[in-house]
Amino acid sequence: MAAASSLHAAAPAATPCRAGITSTPVARSVRVATAAARPGAGRGRLVARAAVAAKGDAPSCAAASNSDGHELLLFEALREGLIEEMKSDPTVCVFGEDVGHYGGSYKVTKGLAEMFGDLRVLDTPIAENSFTGMGVGAAMKGLRPVVEGMNMGFLLLAYNQISNNCGMLHYTSGGQFKIPLVIRGPGGVGRQLGAEHSQRLESYFQSIPGLQMVACSTAYNAKGLMKAAIRSENPVVLFEHVLLYNLKGKIPDEEYVLCLEEAEMVRPGEHVTILTYSRMRYHVMQAAKTLVNEGYDPEVIDIRSLKPFDLHTIGNSIKKTHRVLIVEECMRTGGIGASLRSAIIDNFWDYLDAPIMCLSSQDVPTPYAGTLEDATVVQPAQIVAAVEQLCQ
């Protein structure tokens, strides 16, 4: 009985979402899985229109971004969200290499040391294992640290702290400790940065219990996800793509916070569901222009939440299109696409009219040569060919 009580107390901390909804990192997946397993669900079955995102429905984030606002580059949007949270909550602090007076390797923390002082914006030695562990300890004692990895690949040096401590301490302490920690930094295939600086660590981190993962792709969702991650009671890894930092977008003047567990409907469509995230969102949208000219109507969803998946939004789309293409920059073996494909098969098999297709990066170290680097990553022409094959 005591053991059962301890396990119950160690349940994941609740995460605030839009419209006052609270959920745990697994609550949405469990709820949707139960609904999708109902008896009588068959291939080609008509679905009530209310259960599907209608083509005329405006995505919530698009609606907000159409209001009066100001334009920022993506890295500036991350910085603005971080500043707002540091001003409103004195427990928010930043750790990392060169995050202080240098302003961070991609200037996300530029000017923060002057605003908040060296104790809240702490320059650390080149020791990822040490300052990530310090972030975990600070979170256990009531602070809300934001740990910056100068490059996501460097955080492999802190894998022990992230997996054995950051993700598990809430559970192993019987719920005595919360770990409201954000780990963020640049990653992905850049412009000839070589194999060690072109890592996609989503696949490394996705199996760690207790860890949430999100990936930003626009200035709007970068700021909203940054603020939500800082406010979360769970440890959150925020993936930022190195090639998207200078992407410009409109930010509302009023405060907003996004849900960490919600996907974004980028383009409603009828013929095929394309699931993607981060930089590949733009490859998919480039391919979508060609597909529309060819008479196809793809529905594009930026999943944003890499763990847990928003199976509610994904499922509604599959019930409408009955075909799925996953496009990712992560490695094919053990990547996000593999996990997403498995979740779709488990929950929405009866709605599929064709095998799920997944386009991923090749399982090779990223080459330095530019032409070879491009060859390892999914390109728009491959996406067009995949949709044509799916819709035959």
Side-chain angles (χ1 to χ4, degrees), residues 155-220:
L155 290 177
L156 289 175
L157 296 166
Y159 194 83
N160 175 62
Q161 300 285 10
I162 296 171
S163 60
N164 283 330
N165 296 326
C166 179
M168 298 186 187
L169 271 171
H170 181 66
Y171 175 82
T172 56
S173 69
Q176 296 179 76
F177 294 112
K178 295 178 181 177
I179 315 295
L181 171 70
V182 179
I183 299 172
R184 51 153 298 270
V189 178
R191 291 189 176 91
Q192 297 182 260
L193 296 179
E196 293 182 0
H197 288 69
S198 302
Q199 295 274 28
R200 284 81 84 199
L201 296 190
E202 304 97 297
S203 60
Y204 291 74
F205 292 150
Q206 68 172 328
S207 62
I208 299 175
L211 205 63
Q212 287 190 261
M213 305 194 309
V214 291
C216 60
S217 55
T218 67
Y220 176 84

Side-chain angles (χ1 to χ4, degrees), residues 21-23 26-37 261 310-313 347:
I21 299 172
T22 59
S23 60
V26 296
R28 171 166 287 169
S29 301
V30 172
R31 174 170 56 81
V32 177
T34 304
E261 301 170 20
D310 179 3
L311 293 182
H312 178 72
T313 301
N347 293 285

Side-chain angles (χ1 to χ4, degrees), residues 19-227:
I21 299 172
T22 59
S23 60
T24 69
V26 296
R28 171 166 287 169
S29 301
V30 172
R31 174 170 56 81
V32 177
T34 304
R38 67 188 184 278
R43 187 171 298 171
R45 173 188 174 105
L46 292 176
V47 182
R49 186 165 184 82
V52 181
K55 191 166 184 177
D57 293 343
S60 55
C61 67
S65 62
N66 288 334
S67 63
D68 292 337
H70 54 286
E71 285 194 336
L72 290 176
L73 302 178
L74 189 144
F75 83 89
E76 294 173 328
L78 289 166
R79 178 177 176 271
E80 185 172 275
L82 185 54
I83 289 174
E84 288 179 7
E85 293 305 300
M86 293 186 75
K87 285 182 176 178
S88 63
D89 186 349
T91 66
V92 179
C93 52
V94 181
F95 299 161
E97 299 155 355
D98 290 334
V99 297
H101 296 281
Y102 183 71
S105 55
Y106 289 90
K107 302 306 177 186
V108 174
T109 58
K110 182 179 180 182
L112 266 64
E114 289 76 14
M115 291 183 191
F116 302 105
D118 293 339
L119 289 179
R120 290 187 68 192
V121 186
L122 184 63
D123 275 321
T124 66
I126 304 174
E128 284 78 10
N129 188 45
S130 298
F131 66 72
T132 304
M134 183 169 64
V136 174
M140 292 172 66
K141 296 297 290 183
L143 298 181
R144 293 184 175 272
V146 179
V147 173
E148 175 180 310
M150 184 178 286
N151 182 281
M152 274 294 185
F154 301 160
L155 290 177
L156 289 175
L157 296 166
Y159 194 83
N160 175 62
Q161 300 285 10
I162 296 171
S163 60
N164 283 330
N165 296 326
C166 179
M168 298 186 187
L169 271 171
H170 181 66
Y171 175 82
T172 56
S173 69
Q176 296 179 76
F177 294 112
K178 295 178 181 177
I179 315 295
L181 171 70
V182 179
I183 299 172
R184 51 153 298 270
V189 178
R191 291 189 176 91
Q192 297 182 260
L193 296 179
E196 293 182 0
H197 288 69
S198 302
Q199 295 274 28
R200 284 81 84 199
L201 296 190
E202 304 97 297
S203 60
Y204 291 74
F205 292 150
Q206 68 172 328
S207 62
I208 299 175
L211 205 63
Q212 287 190 261
M213 305 194 309
V214 291
C216 60
S217 55
T218 67
Y220 176 84
N221 66 40
K223 178 180 177 180
L225 291 174
M226 170 71 89
K227 292 171 70 70

